[in-house]
Amino acid sequence: MKTFMGKDFLLNNETAIELYHGAAAGMPIFDWHCHIQPKEIYENKQPENLSALWLAADHYKWRALRSYGMDEKLITGSASGYEKFKAWAKVMPCLIGNPLYHWTHLELQRYFDIDEPLSEKTADDIWQRANAKIAAGGFKPRELIEASNVACICTTDDSADSLEYHTLIAQDKSFQCRVIPAFRPDKALSIDLPGYLPWLVSLEERIGKEIKTFAALKAALLERINFFESMGCRATDHAFAYIPYARADEKELERVFAKALTGAALTVHETDEYKTELMRYLAKEYARRNWGME
């Protein structure tokens, strides 16, 4: 009988087994897309427990918990770490077939030597065993990165970010993994969301210039792209609820941008014009630098 998600999980023939165990398994990891915050890597704090390690900042797990109908208190709210972990354990059996199910159990096996499937029934035992492992050490961010043979991590960073922690990490020669930014301009594209104007103010503060026109916005983002490139950036990251497409000329874009600055609500078509043309502009800049666009 095969072990639950054992060492040959997803390796369905002898060729796959040989390619993975004979070559791929020992290769260093180059992580193009990672949600760990550079501040976490720099500060390198010991996690308090399994909930802090697993659930405190994982929005994929949050989405699964919300889809199940869990109260927000048990996701990002005031519930204890133990209560949040118990909620995750309750949802786990419903996620068979979802990568979250695979990741959870592979992590339990590879980092905690726990082979049992997580459920409400096994939650207390797994909580105690995993937390004992964490308390024994080896679970700080840098320790996990090094133990996982990660050679490079691309974090996801807002276009107005200072990247100060990337600088601090690069200065620490005791840490061998390279940590570089990935350019994420979602807030620049989200002209239809309430946070757009406050974000625009933060961008103005970052570059020390007013942004009162669409042309000025493009110039500001180009300045940030150049800065990110100087910090080693070679990849980008974008999220869309849907893919917009509506072409517009510069005159129309200036009108739409000016309207947005007044706080007036834009039409869906105006929003799509802005997003389409700004995305086209950004994509051309990425292509000039041979950046990967995610």
Side-chain angles (χ1 to χ4, degrees):
M1 183 176 177
K2 281 190 174 182
T3 304
F4 170 68
M5 285 179 60
K7 68 181 183 67
D8 294 336
F9 176 61
L10 296 181
L11 305 177
N12 297 321
N13 55 55
E14 291 301 318
T15 302
I17 291 170
E18 173 59 28
L19 287 172
Y20 179 73
H21 292 296
M27 295 180 70
I29 293 170
F30 197 109
D31 189 347
W32 282 99
H33 180 91
C34 184
H35 289 174
I36 189 169
Q37 296 298 311
K39 181 180 180 182
E40 291 180 72
I41 299 173
Y42 174 71
E43 293 180 342
N44 202 34
K45 293 180 179 178
Q46 169 76 6
E48 182 181 352
N49 52 43
L50 185 57
S51 184
L53 188 66
W54 257 6
L55 300 168
D58 192 333
H59 64 268
Y60 293 116
K61 291 188 177 79
W62 296 350
R63 189 181 305 161
L65 288 160
R66 290 175 184 135
S67 296
Y68 186 88
M70 287 293 178
D71 191 287
E72 193 65 27
K73 179 180 73 172
L74 294 166
I75 305 170
T76 61
S78 59
S80 68
Y82 171 72
E83 290 170 321
K84 291 176 181 179
F85 173 76
K86 288 281 281 189
W88 180 240
K90 183 176 182 178
V91 171
M92 184 51 51
C94 298
L95 293 175
I96 292 176
N98 186 305
L100 287 167
Y101 187 89
H102 304 154
W103 298 338
T104 294
H105 290 102
L106 289 172
E107 287 164 6
L108 285 174
Q109 291 173 14
R110 296 180 181 183
Y111 296 95
F112 298 98
D113 299 318
I114 294 173
D115 294 315
E116 293 82 6
L118 178 61
S119 66
E120 282 188 288
K121 184 178 178 180
T122 61
D124 285 340
D125 179 60
I126 289 175
W127 173 257
Q128 292 169 9
R129 290 164 65 189
N131 285 338
K133 277 267 191 181
I134 291 170
F139 286 86
K140 293 179 181 178
R142 297 191 191 192
E143 292 172 329
L144 286 172
I145 289 167
E146 290 172 337
S148 302
N149 196 23
V150 180
C152 182
I153 288 176
C154 295
T155 57
T156 53
D157 307 277
D158 179 66
S159 49
D161 196 285
S162 69
L163 304 185
E164 60 184 300
Y165 288 103
H166 290 86
T167 300
L168 292 170
I169 293 168
Q171 291 171 349
D172 184 353
K173 302 306 178 184
S174 68
F175 185 52
Q176 298 304 307
C177 177
R178 189 177 180 198
V179 181
I180 58 178
F183 188 73
R184 185 161 193 166
D186 287 4
K187 292 180 181 178
L189 287 154
S190 300
I191 196 170
D192 52 331
L193 296 183
Y196 180 77
L197 292 180
W199 170 82
L200 195 62
V201 171
S202 72
L203 180 61
E204 289 179 325
E205 292 172 348
R206 180 66 59 208
I207 65 170
K209 301 172 188 173
E210 285 192 335
I211 302 171
K212 299 302 181 186
T213 64
F214 184 72
L217 173 66
K218 290 195 296 183
L221 289 172
L222 179 59
E223 184 176 326
R224 299 302 298 162
I225 287 171
N226 289 335
F227 175 65
F228 270 64
E229 185 173 39
S230 74
M231 295 294 289
C233 178
R234 297 296 181 269
T236 69
D237 184 25
H238 303 83
F240 288 102
Y242 69 98
I243 304 300
Y245 189 80
R247 299 302 309 277
D249 59 23
E250 289 296 318
K251 183 178 179 181
E252 169 66 2
L253 294 168
E254 291 293 357
R255 183 193 69 77
V256 170
F257 187 75
K259 180 179 176 181
L261 290 184
T262 69
L266 302 181
T267 67
V268 172
H269 183 70
E270 289 171 332
T271 297
D272 285 355
E273 287 178 325
Y274 171 88
K275 291 183 177 182
T276 298
E277 296 301 340
L278 183 56
M279 193 69 240
R280 284 170 56 84
Y281 170 76
L282 292 172
K284 289 177 181 177
E285 292 301 329
Y286 304 156
R288 288 191 182 101
R289 293 161 176 79
N290 200 28
W291 283 8
M293 187 167 73
E294 302 172 274

